[in-house]
Amino acid sequence: MRLSPAPLKLSRTPALLALVLPLAAALAFSDETLDKVPKSEGYCSRILRAQGTRREGYTEFSLRVEGDPDFYKPGTSYRVTLSAAPPSYFRGFTLIALKENREGDKEEDHAGTFQIIDEEETQFMSNCPVAVTESTPRRRTRIQVFWIAPPAGTGCVILKASIVQKRIIYFQDEGSLTKKLCEQDSTFDGVTDKPILDCCACGTAKYRLTFYGNWSEKTHPKDYPRRANHWSAIIGGSHSKNYVLWEYGGYASEGVKQVAELGSPVKMEEEIRQQSDEVLTVIKAKAQWPAWQPLNVRAAPSAEFSVDRTRHLMSFLTMMGPSPDWNVGLSAEDLCTKECGWVQKVVQDLIPWDAGTDSGVTYESPNKPTIPQEKIRPLTSLDHPQSPFYDPEGGSITQVARVVIERIARKGEQCNIVPDNVDDIVADLAPEEKDEDDTPETCIYSNWSPWSACSSSTCDKGKRMRQRMLKAQLDLSVPCPDTQDFQPCMGPGCSDEDGSTCTMSEWITWSPCSISCGTGMRSRERYVKQFPEDGSVCTLPTEETEKCTVNEECSPSSCLMTEWGEWDECSATCGMGMKKRHRMIKMSPADGSMCKAETSQAEKCMMPECHTIPCLLSPWSEWSDCSVTCGKGMRTRQRMLKSLAELGDCNEDLEQVEKCMLPECPIDELTEWSQWSECNKSCGKGHVIRTRMIQMEPQFGGTPCPETVQRKKCRIRKCLRNPSIQKLRWREARESRRSEQLKEESEGEQFPGCRMRPWTAWSECTKLCGGGIQERYMTVKKRFKSSQFTSCKDKKEIRACNVHPC
């Protein structure tokens, strides 16, 4: 993973990332060790030759470059970590970067520059400014710095580290404390052929993308288009590895083609939004007309986006206009680290690439579609003699833009809990207040102190802090939360809504003192992070200088000391106690005499007054069962008073009641039985029936509906044996039934004035489960003249079906 600083002018003392968590370890050469080091007037030879006990193959300590690359890209920054495997530790270290096969006794032997992350813990050595060492002496297992790779043509570079542990120095020319990086071929910078790994990070991260166009007549004078030069609107997104917006070696989609040839992001945005499941954020920023302007005239365009575990890649593109189909951008930039965290910063210099859809060779070539379409590829300096980037010697193309991607916040529970700097901690806390205090009852604290003053006196983001003391921990198995609380803030009179506000960065770390002994000068810088929206110019100072004193009285008997370390915690949790701080000898007197400067200090410290312990309550019990077996009910829970009554009054509730909801009670409904029908025989044995209807199908566990038809025997009289009489009675009975039927049809038993057709069969259920609907119909067969229209019309019935859960 490539990590780079903001695009600023870097001096020997690099810049930035103000206020970072302690990451460095302290180095101190003991008197005995330094006495054995041969003195030399070489540039850094005294440091390089301070090789105490060599431990070839010693693996407790390791030097690692983030991403474990074998190659470096010129000008790119890399995070370098020096660590010790527990239970080992180191008190100090030295870190250098040499060109391959160089001794390091000359300034030109050193390659690239280091960038301090935390000036309170790491610093440049006063007698070897290209090397990094400790600032504060204490045991450490890990330190981090940035290394900015040297310019093109440097060749291979060797990063070396030495470890100081008590009076023994471990220094390796080969092995775990040495890392070799060779220069990367720039022909295919940014080619996305690297495998994309699954992300193991937790929560989400929010980033800000800032685009700095560097394409101007000064940087690219050949055939530079003086009219209509611009960058089109930026379009992109944060997405999963299952979706590719664009990539080298692939073919441009219709959306990519329209951006590349016309600078129109409309089709590209439509393509991205169609992949809604694979995309978390659509990235959009305004176009730039003209292509380049100083930052104090116009702010660089920027956009914010988020990533999560499945959508941890970021891609974007913007057209260089005018051009045939030339663009710049990033493809599938992975913001997830191998350590299950989120990358803090990415800085990438960009060269133009060809979309493969137009065959023009100059900025203003006429349209000439490429048939058949070609694959996306980077432009080179040997493409065509008429190309504005043509170089007969085949050199690399000067970068035309730089993109800076900075993490500005993290949300949700994170796997990697080590924050990168204090500003990041403030962002991670989020502005929302907690709904309730989650402090365990077994942790007894003092009250919070008042909030400190804001660390920023300008309208840049700062922080303020408050503290409380842990007075008692009644249960050692239950961890107690932190005793410090941070909150974002800005200087007085600043407002986020003020459109005329000029937002400045934190001050860059101070440069080394101009001399190694006595009084000299040092300087620091800052830059404009956000220009006023009303177009006014920032007038706040961007540089400061001040006097600095390394050693007031320089003489052969003078000794060089480290800065004082942080004060230890107070020895008492309440009342009066003592605290100490320490420093170490950085360089012994040149005349061999003993250092007389004190290496430790102690002073009294006053903690909050000791008070009686307030009443304590046991944790809440589990909720009781609901008071009902179905439908709505109530449930309760209790807790007990643990402390003695004489320690204080407890007015807290000991019981809580809340509503509870169980599945709906079973439902099944039937109509009442109808009257018994007449016997179906006029003589002899027959039967009568009665019926009932289902008003609601079983729901919520209701029992299946019982029978809806019942029958029983009936006997009116014995049938006569005389056949003629029997036939006569049958005829009479048949005529009687027919008469009754005609009467029912004429009078309309259910629907007066109508003759209705029978009910149709029930329709198919509208759902297979979860409750559907069935319908059936009865239509008018004949309407009598005496009937009214409103009393004789088609009928419809509806009933529930398939009510069982899905």
Side-chain angles (χ1 to χ4, degrees), residues 199-202 207 335-343 407 410 414-416:
C199 179
C200 59
C202 303
Y207 287 86
L335 298 176
C336 183
T337 69
K338 294 180 180 178
E339 294 78 22
C340 302
W342 298 109
V343 171
R407 193 183 74 218
R410 288 180 291 193
Q414 300 290 317
C415 308
N416 184 352

Side-chain angles (χ1 to χ4, degrees), residues 403-592:
V403 61
V404 178
I405 303 170
E406 295 177 283
R407 193 183 74 218
I408 56 178
R410 288 180 291 193
K411 292 185 179 180
E413 184 177 356
Q414 300 290 317
C415 308
N416 184 352
I417 62 173
V418 179
D420 299 287
N421 55 45
V422 172
D423 283 346
D424 194 47
I425 298 175
V426 174
D428 294 348
L429 290 177
E432 298 86 25
E433 294 290 339
K434 293 183 178 179
D435 294 333
E436 59 183 6
D437 187 6
D438 55 0
T439 303
E441 291 87 354
T442 58
C443 301
I444 309 304
Y445 289 93
S446 67
N447 292 329
W448 285 106
S449 68
W451 286 105
S452 68
C454 190
S455 63
S456 173
S457 59
T458 67
C459 291
D460 191 18
K461 181 185 68 176
K463 69 179 191 310
R464 60 178 184 168
M465 183 187 72
R466 61 177 182 174
Q467 294 179 305
R468 60 179 177 178
M469 303 306 302
L470 180 64
K471 297 170 62 177
Q473 187 173 356
L474 304 182
D475 187 353
L476 297 179
S477 65
V478 179
C480 292
D482 295 334
T483 57
Q484 291 183 333
D485 188 17
F486 294 91
Q487 192 178 72
C489 61
M490 292 194 299
C494 296
S495 171
D496 290 333
E497 291 75 29
D498 187 0
S500 62
T501 297
C502 182
T503 304
M504 306 296 293
S505 71
E506 295 286 345
W507 285 104
I508 298 169
T509 53
W510 288 103
S511 65
C513 199
S514 59
I515 61 174
S516 59
C517 190
T519 301
M521 297 296 294
R522 65 176 183 172
S523 63
R524 64 176 181 176
E525 297 176 341
R526 63 179 177 178
Y527 61 98
V528 179
K529 292 181 65 176
Q530 182 64 54
F531 287 85
E533 295 178 0
D534 59 8
S536 59
V537 178
C538 288
T539 58
L540 296 175
T542 58
E543 186 176 3
E544 280 186 354
T545 58
E546 68 173 20
K547 293 182 179 180
C548 55
T549 302
V550 177
N551 195 358
E552 294 182 354
E553 299 177 359
C554 295
S555 68
S557 61
S558 299
C559 60
L560 187 61
M561 307 293 294
T562 64
E563 296 293 330
W564 284 106
E566 296 292 333
W567 287 103
D568 296 337
E569 292 186 3
C570 193
S571 60
T573 57
C574 63
M576 183 68 72
M578 295 295 294
K579 63 180 180 179
K580 295 182 179 180
R581 67 175 181 175
H582 306 274
R583 66 177 177 177
M584 298 185 70
I585 300 172
K586 194 177 183 75
M587 186 174 292
S588 298
D591 59 6

Side-chain angles (χ1 to χ4, degrees), residues 151-172:
T154 303
C156 295
V157 176
I158 309 296
L159 293 172
K160 290 184 176 184
S162 65
I163 291 293
V164 177
Q165 189 182 43
K166 297 183 179 177
R167 296 189 175 187
I168 301 174
I169 302 175
Y170 302 114
F171 193 102
Q172 291 182 281

Side-chain angles (χ1 to χ4, degrees), residues 267-473:
K267 181 64 176 178
M268 187 70 185
E269 182 177 353
E270 179 183 342
E271 291 178 353
I272 295 173
R273 294 191 184 278
Q274 287 175 353
Q275 300 287 333
S276 56
D277 292 338
E278 307 296 336
V279 175
L280 182 60
T281 307
V282 177
I283 300 172
K284 300 167 65 176
K286 295 181 179 179
Q288 299 183 78
W289 294 81
W292 184 88
Q293 281 186 3
L295 290 181
N296 61 356
V297 176
R298 181 187 63 196
S302 64
E304 294 182 358
F305 64 96
S306 298
V307 291
D308 60 17
R309 175 176 289 189
T310 58
R311 293 158 293 189
H312 53 97
L313 307 177
M314 189 281 296
S315 302
F316 82 95
L317 67 161
T318 177
M319 174 201 181
M320 175 192 291
S323 70
D325 58 347
W326 300 341
N327 286 241
V328 299
L330 289 181
S331 175
E333 184 70 24
D334 195 346
L335 298 176
C336 183
T337 69
K338 294 180 180 178
E339 294 78 22
C340 302
W342 298 109
V343 171
Q344 184 181 358
K345 179 183 282 189
V346 175
V347 174
Q348 181 66 54
D349 291 325
L350 306 174
I351 62 171
W353 50 266
D354 189 315
T357 60
D358 192 298
S359 299
V361 295
T362 66
Y363 289 123
E364 298 180 276
S365 293
N367 289 335
K368 186 180 178 182
T370 302
I371 301 174
Q373 183 175 334
E374 295 178 353
K375 293 181 179 180
I376 297 173
R377 65 172 182 86
L379 294 178
T380 72
S381 60
L382 295 174
D383 284 339
H384 195 279
Q386 295 181 10
S387 168
F389 308 109
Y390 181 73
D391 180 1
E393 298 180 2
S396 60
I397 294 178
T398 303
Q399 55 93 7
V400 297
R402 170 175 286 183
V403 61
V404 178
I405 303 170
E406 295 177 283
R407 193 183 74 218
I408 56 178
R410 288 180 291 193
K411 292 185 179 180
E413 184 177 356
Q414 300 290 317
C415 308
N416 184 352
I417 62 173
V418 179
D420 299 287
N421 55 45
V422 172
D423 283 346
D424 194 47
I425 298 175
V426 174
D428 294 348
L429 290 177
E432 298 86 25
E433 294 290 339
K434 293 183 178 179
D435 294 333
E436 59 183 6
D437 187 6
D438 55 0
T439 303
E441 291 87 354
T442 58
C443 301
I444 309 304
Y445 289 93
S446 67
N447 292 329
W448 285 106
S449 68
W451 286 105
S452 68
C454 190
S455 63
S456 173
S457 59
T458 67
C459 291
D460 191 18
K461 181 185 68 176
K463 69 179 191 310
R464 60 178 184 168
M465 183 187 72
R466 61 177 182 174
Q467 294 179 305
R468 60 179 177 178
M469 303 306 302
L470 180 64
K471 297 170 62 177
Q473 187 173 356

